[in-house]
Amino acid sequence: QRIHKRGKKVSLMPQLLISDKSYEAKLQPRDKSLWFKNYSDNLLYFTQIAEQNEVELFSIGNELTSMFTDVTNINYWNKLLDSVKEIYHGQLIVKLNCWYRYSQFQDLLNIDWFHKLDYLGIAAYFDLTNKMNPTETELRNAWFNNRQELNLVKEIRILSETYQKPIIFSEIGYRNVDGSNIEPWNADVKPPRWPPGLGTGIKDDAESVLCTKVLFETFSQYDWWQGTFWFCWPTGILSENDQSYSIRGKPVLKELLKNYRQERN
């Protein structure tokens, strides 16, 4: 409500957390019927909140790769989507991940219920270069030939064209640490146990700024790309030495505001 009063729009994205901290993208419930019943009951609770508060964008699932790509689940997802649409009248999105291999992109091209959505979301923490201090040109080229030799722009475009849906980067961020472009998704890498090849553990604001700049320059030219949700803005004040994904009070914030056309003097 406070965000709406400021003239901004809201996306509500319920996130499934697993008690043993295993990765939700690899979920394999023993009883899928029971799992979908419980997941639906909980998601519909948030669906009602989204409708009551006129939320503009609602996510029906986040990074549940194994549950999305299993073709035997299609009826479950269709039933869930129909139930959501009976309650909620805003726009719908799902958050996908496909970070490492060509096959991960291919697995997302045969999911019929994606046609019922308004957007396809991606957690865009793609590996870029193998270098701890890449140049702007190297970062730009990496989106077309990254360190796994993937043309990321091409594969994301194919995903959009397959379902005729625009793409939103539902989550993306770059830690202000040397080498963050190598594995942007890796939140656990920190000194003194810094694995060889994944950075030095030294604070590096310039790299996060440069990665952000290149991302916007790369994708803003494509009509099928509709922007980003940036991770993250914490409620607490951070230390001057913070190396987390937080953008609050860091040089990367200025670059973000510039690209969102909200830069202030």
Side-chain angles (χ1 to χ4, degrees):
Q1 291 172 353
R2 292 175 65 183
I3 292 171
H4 279 150
K5 287 179 181 178
R6 295 290 299 272
K8 302 181 186 299
K9 297 181 179 180
V10 175
S11 172
L12 180 59
M13 184 178 293
Q15 176 69 36
L16 176 64
L17 299 178
I18 302 176
S19 59
D20 65 1
K21 298 184 179 180
S22 56
Y23 189 23
E24 61 269 21
K26 298 180 179 180
L27 190 64
Q28 296 290 344
R30 289 188 294 271
D31 186 335
K32 287 198 292 187
S33 178
L34 179 60
W35 186 90
F36 271 101
K37 178 185 183 303
N38 290 330
Y39 183 78
S40 298
D41 288 346
N42 282 276
L43 189 72
L44 292 177
Y45 167 78
F46 290 100
T47 304
Q48 292 172 345
I49 292 175
E51 177 68 14
Q52 292 165 0
N53 290 276
E54 299 181 341
V55 166
E56 286 82 2
L57 184 66
F58 183 72
S59 178
I60 60 97
N62 298 312
E63 301 190 39
L64 300 173
T65 305
S66 59
M67 304 303 291
F68 295 155
T69 57
D70 185 342
V71 294
T72 65
N73 291 339
I74 185 172
N75 290 333
Y76 291 116
W77 287 112
N78 277 318
K79 182 179 178 181
L80 174 57
L81 272 166
D82 291 342
S83 297
V84 168
K85 288 186 173 186
E86 287 181 3
I87 299 170
Y88 176 71
H89 297 90
Q91 295 186 306
L92 295 173
I93 192 171
V94 65
K95 187 168 78 176
L96 311 171
N97 53 26
C98 37
W99 299 342
Y100 300 109
R101 292 180 292 275
Y102 174 72
S103 61
Q104 292 177 309
F105 285 95
Q106 296 301 297
D107 288 343
L108 297 173
L109 298 181
N110 296 291
I111 304 177
D112 185 68
W113 56 270
F114 281 3
H115 289 287
K116 294 185 176 183
L117 303 170
D118 299 288
Y119 298 93
L120 295 179
I122 293 177
Y125 295 98
F126 297 106
D127 294 10
L128 295 176
T129 79
N130 280 311
K131 297 186 176 182
M132 287 182 281
N133 291 291
T135 65
E136 184 172 339
T137 298
E138 288 170 333
L139 283 172
R140 189 177 294 111
N141 291 340
W143 281 104
F144 298 90
N145 184 24
N146 78 339
R147 74 190 194 96
Q148 282 103 11
E149 299 183 346
L150 285 170
N151 185 332
L152 297 166
V153 173
K154 176 185 176 182
E155 298 305 328
I156 297 169
R157 174 181 58 79
I158 290 173
L159 183 63
S160 174
E161 291 176 347
T162 297
Y163 298 101
Q164 292 296 294
K165 302 296 178 183
I167 301 292
I168 293 176
F169 288 171
S170 297
E171 185 183 336
I172 179 59
Y174 296 101
R175 295 173 60 198
N176 58 324
V177 64
D178 193 32
S180 62
N181 84 95
I182 301 172
E183 289 185 352
W185 49 270
N186 199 333
D188 296 324
V189 178
K190 61 190 67 173
R193 295 187 176 182
W194 202 274
L198 292 182
T200 62
I202 298 173
K203 182 181 177 183
D204 188 349
D205 289 315
E207 184 165 340
S208 62
V209 172
L210 192 58
C211 287
T212 301
K213 178 178 185 290
V214 168
L215 181 147
F216 279 100
E217 289 179 349
T218 299
F219 287 95
S220 60
Q221 61 186 299
Y222 300 112
D223 293 338
W224 45 263
W225 186 73
Q226 295 292 300
T228 70
F229 287 94
W230 215 264
F231 187 78
C232 64
W233 188 279
T235 55
I237 303 298
L238 303 171
S239 73
E240 293 183 359
N241 297 318
D242 180 75
Q243 296 180 8
S244 72
Y245 289 97
S246 170
I247 62 176
R248 184 173 183 172
K250 295 180 181 179
V252 70
L253 179 58
K254 185 175 182 180
E255 182 66 29
L256 281 166
L257 292 175
K258 187 194 325 181
N259 284 283
Y260 285 115
R261 299 178 183 176
Q262 296 179 0
E263 187 172 20
R264 295 174 175 83
N265 295 328

